[in-house]
Amino acid sequence: MPAGKPPESFRLETGAHSRDDWRMSNTPDNHQKPFGTFAPTAAQRAVIAAAHGSGLKRGPFRPWLSRIVNLLGPGPIDATYQGASFRLHHLASGTERGALFNPDYNLPELDFLREHAPPGGTFVDVGANVGTYAVSLAKHVGDTGRVIAIEPLP
């Protein structure tokens, strides 16, 4: 979503959130700050690590984990997923929650795509969302490869 135009309202899996909640984590300034600016606190890291090592990393638990992490420090979280750096706005996006709390999120799909996209090849990601496939495949196809990522709903 563009930083300047939030939706009238949006609904997460566990309840409604206001436009102000969206604005807090999705300001233009947040996008300009270097990776690591929003590194998780020690308490947030503990919750994320607990999720990684348990069944809590699965879908139904992630919205609650996201709320707990946000209570421990509001805003996005800078984290790595599949070896790539992401600024994850976990409160507003199921995909970003998945990448934050489950290191195996979409792994079968990513393995399939890596198997069929040769190094130096081209990968097109239509409906790229935050780029979890595109960035992972960019690393795979390498410097001589090409990734085209299209997200129709900014």
Side-chain angles (χ1 to χ4, degrees):
M1 292 179 205
K5 190 170 182 177
E8 288 303 312
S9 66
F10 61 99
R11 181 171 171 76
L12 298 178
E13 296 163 27
T14 57
H17 292 266
S18 72
R19 292 169 56 123
D20 291 335
D21 292 337
W22 183 84
R23 276 194 197 105
M24 270 180 33
S25 66
N26 203 26
T27 64
D29 289 342
N30 286 350
H31 298 295
Q32 302 301 318
K33 294 180 180 175
F35 182 79
T37 301
F38 298 99
T41 66
Q44 289 172 318
R45 281 193 310 274
V47 171
I48 294 165
H52 284 186
S54 71
L56 295 176
K57 65 185 174 186
R58 297 289 172 211
F61 299 104
R62 290 194 297 251
W64 292 104
L65 290 168
S66 188
R67 286 182 170 177
I68 292 167
V69 165
N70 196 62
L71 287 172
L72 297 170
I77 298 284
D78 288 350
T80 57
Y81 168 73
Q82 294 293 313
S85 300
F86 286 91
R87 177 152 297 153
L88 299 171
H89 297 268
H90 57 96
L91 275 178
S93 169
T95 297
E96 294 174 67
R97 278 192 298 275
L100 180 61
F101 296 116
N102 185 354
D104 301 327
Y105 184 71
N106 288 336
L107 194 55
E109 293 90 344
L110 285 167
D111 288 344
F112 174 85
L113 294 170
R114 288 181 188 118
E115 182 181 329
H116 291 87
T122 299
F123 173 70
V124 179
D125 186 357
V126 178
N129 200 311
V130 297
T132 53
Y133 289 164
V135 175
S136 296
L137 267 289
K139 293 181 67 131
H140 175 75
V141 298
D143 292 339
T144 59
R146 183 181 200 169
V147 172
I148 301 166
I150 301 164
E151 175 49 55
L153 298 172

